[in-house]
Amino acid sequence: MNTVVLELRSLKETVADAARVMKTGRAEREARISFATPELLWEVLTGKRWELLKVLCGAGPVSIREAARRVGRDVKAVHGDITALLEAGVLTRAPDGRIAVMGSVWAA
């Protein structure tokens, strides 16, 4: 899987799709991260976080310090953004503590 789809969907629609996947046993071809409202989407994906995601996309696991270096920002500020993106499920943490984008290609 190398695509992550960000979408606006109701909880009801998301649960119905999850139930369908469990019933059929056929997984989606791409990972999906759903937001209930545009406001929630932009609360999580601020401009700085979107910039961070673009830089990290396809980079593989990197340290927070390396992520900060790549976007030319303060490590503490990038750490806060990475924490928010981890909580939203947009980033993942490798066993060694480095972070990576869920997929290598982003679709909105």
Side-chain angles (χ1 to χ4, degrees):
M1 179 181 330
N2 62 0
T3 302
V4 177
V5 176
L6 304 176
E7 61 187 358
L8 297 173
R9 298 184 68 177
S10 70
L11 179 59
K12 183 177 180 179
E13 290 172 312
T14 302
V15 170
D17 274 355
R20 180 188 46 77
V21 168
M22 289 190 306
K23 185 176 182 178
T24 64
R26 288 190 219 133
E28 297 283 337
R29 291 182 4 175
E30 63 273 326
R32 294 182 175 276
I33 300 174
S34 300
F35 295 88
T37 66
E39 294 79 15
L40 182 58
L41 169 79
W42 294 120
E43 182 179 320
V44 173
L45 293 176
T46 64
K48 297 280 187 186
R49 292 175 188 164
W50 188 253
E51 177 186 0
L52 182 60
L53 288 175
K54 288 192 303 186
V55 168
L56 295 178
C57 192
V62 298
S63 68
I64 293 174
R65 185 171 299 283
E66 174 62 15
R69 186 193 68 73
R70 289 182 182 203
V71 293
R73 293 178 49 211
D74 176 73
V75 173
K76 186 175 179 178
V78 170
H79 182 273
D81 287 340
I82 286 173
T83 299
L85 293 169
L86 285 166
E87 289 174 359
V90 178
L91 295 179
T92 59
R93 189 178 293 278
D96 64 3
R98 294 180 300 162
I99 51 94
V101 176
M102 276 185 53
S104 62
V105 178
W106 281 86

